Amino acid sequence: MANRLPQNIKGYIALFFTLSVWASFAIFARIGTTGNLLPTDQIFLRIATCGILVCIPYLWFSQNWRCLIDWRYWLVGIIGGLGYSSWVFFGFRYSPVSHSPIWLYGMLPLFTALMGWWLFSHPIHKDTKISLALLIVGIMAMLSTMAYRHAWSL
């Protein structure tokens, strides 16, 4: 049945699924930081769940053990996994969930492009540079607005 659907309907289904996953991540991350869970608990749960549900079965069925040797994968995992999770969960203790579109979804493509260029020598094309420049402008505007209004409460 899925093959009979028009491309635009498939795109809308994928869009709805993606938005649902990311919105629920932001909401549950914020809810988790207001309860009894510490940000470190949430980081552990996120990494343990990924390791058990995704990484171990992938390695078991694919038999692709070479990825465990390459230091670049470990660096991406440490920065992208631990660094990103720490930034998100500790950040949600001090900011409202409405700021997550700028911080989470604005910084993720920026750091992904920069790490791809730095670690894997992936070229950054002209249209990507323009997009990244616009992201940086938006992030700076948010920072200046927050600093002006004293939006963070440490």
Side-chain angles (χ1 to χ4, degrees), residues 5-144:
L5 290 174
Q7 286 295 98
N8 62 344
I9 299 298
K10 289 180 188 178
Y12 286 127
I13 291 171
L15 172 72
F16 177 76
F17 178 75
T18 303
L19 289 176
S20 298
V21 167
W22 281 105
S24 64
F25 169 72
I27 291 169
F28 285 115
R30 178 65 175 145
I31 289 170
T33 58
T34 59
N36 292 331
L37 286 177
L38 295 172
T40 51
D41 298 332
Q42 288 183 304
I43 293 166
F44 172 76
L45 288 171
R46 178 182 167 104
I47 292 173
T49 304
C50 174
I52 292 169
L53 295 179
V54 177
C55 295
I56 292 174
Y58 170 75
L59 288 172
W60 182 264
F61 288 114
S62 72
Q63 301 294 317
N64 184 10
W65 304 101
R66 289 182 301 153
C67 64
L68 297 176
I69 299 170
D70 194 352
W71 65 272
R72 296 178 302 177
Y73 292 119
W74 285 97
L75 188 61
V76 168
I78 290 169
I79 294 173
L82 287 175
Y84 179 76
S85 296
S86 300
W87 192 39
V88 168
F89 294 124
F90 280 101
F92 271 137
R93 285 189 102 37
Y94 304 110
S95 66
V97 76
S98 61
H99 289 181
S100 68
I102 297 291
W103 299 115
L104 291 179
Y105 316 128
M107 296 296 268
L108 190 60
L110 177 65
F111 283 121
T112 302
L114 292 177
M115 285 186 67
W117 168 74
W118 178 53
L119 289 175
F120 300 104
S121 301
H122 185 4
I124 299 178
H125 300 292
K126 181 181 177 184
D127 55 344
T128 306
K129 288 178 184 176
I130 294 170
S131 300
L132 294 178
L134 291 173
L135 277 172
I136 292 170
V137 167
I139 290 165
M140 293 311 216
M142 183 75 162
L143 274 175
S144 65

